[in-house]
Amino acid sequence: LGLARGIFESICALPAGFLADRLPRPRLIALGCQIWALGLVGCAFSPNLRWMIIFRAVNGVGLGIVQPLLFSLIADKSGASGRGRAFGFLLCTGNLGQTAFTAFATAIAPLQLGAMAG
C-alpha cells in the first residue's frame, strides 16, 4: 500500500512544483488536501484490497501536490533567521503525529468493534 502511495506521490511532486510557479500556492495546497482526503476516505470504505490500492494511489496524488508546495510556502513566509525552526517544527509535528497514530492503530488492532476488526 505504501508503494502505491509513494509512486504516485513521487510522480505528482514535480508537476505540482511547475504549477506552483503559475498558480496560487494556497489554492493548489487546498486542492491537494481535498484529493488527499478523498484518498483517505476511500481507503476507509474500501471493499477489498484492489480498491484500497487505488485509493492509496489517490492519497499519493494529494500528498505529491501538498508536500512540495507546503515546503515552498513555509520557505517564503518565514524569515531567514526562523526558517530552520519553521521546517523543524513542521517535520517534528508530522513525525510525532505519524508515530502516535501508528502506536494507536497497533494498540487497537486486536479489538473488534461490532463486525469490524480494529
Side-chain angles (χ1 to χ4, degrees):
L1 295 174
L3 179 64
R5 182 198 51 93
I7 289 170
F8 281 87
E9 183 178 347
S10 298
I11 290 171
C12 292
L14 190 57
F18 288 125
L19 285 174
D21 292 337
R22 291 164 183 74
L23 300 170
R25 272 178 273 181
R27 283 191 182 164
L28 287 172
I29 291 171
L31 173 67
C33 286
Q34 291 170 348
I35 295 170
W36 185 10
L38 176 69
L40 290 174
V41 170
C43 285
F45 294 102
S46 293
N48 56 42
L49 183 60
R50 178 181 293 189
W51 280 104
M52 178 73 78
I53 292 169
I54 291 168
F55 283 119
R56 284 295 283 173
V58 171
N59 178 260
V61 170
L63 269 173
I65 294 170
V66 169
Q67 281 188 323
L69 301 182
L70 186 59
F71 288 150
S72 70
L73 191 65
I74 287 175
D76 287 350
K77 299 297 181 187
S78 59
S81 64
R83 196 166 293 138
R85 185 173 41 251
F87 277 105
F89 184 76
L90 173 69
L91 293 173
C92 177
T93 55
N95 289 332
L96 283 174
Q98 186 176 20
T99 302
F101 284 103
T102 299
F104 176 70
T106 302
I108 67 166
L111 301 179
Q112 181 141 351
L113 304 170
M116 183 173 32

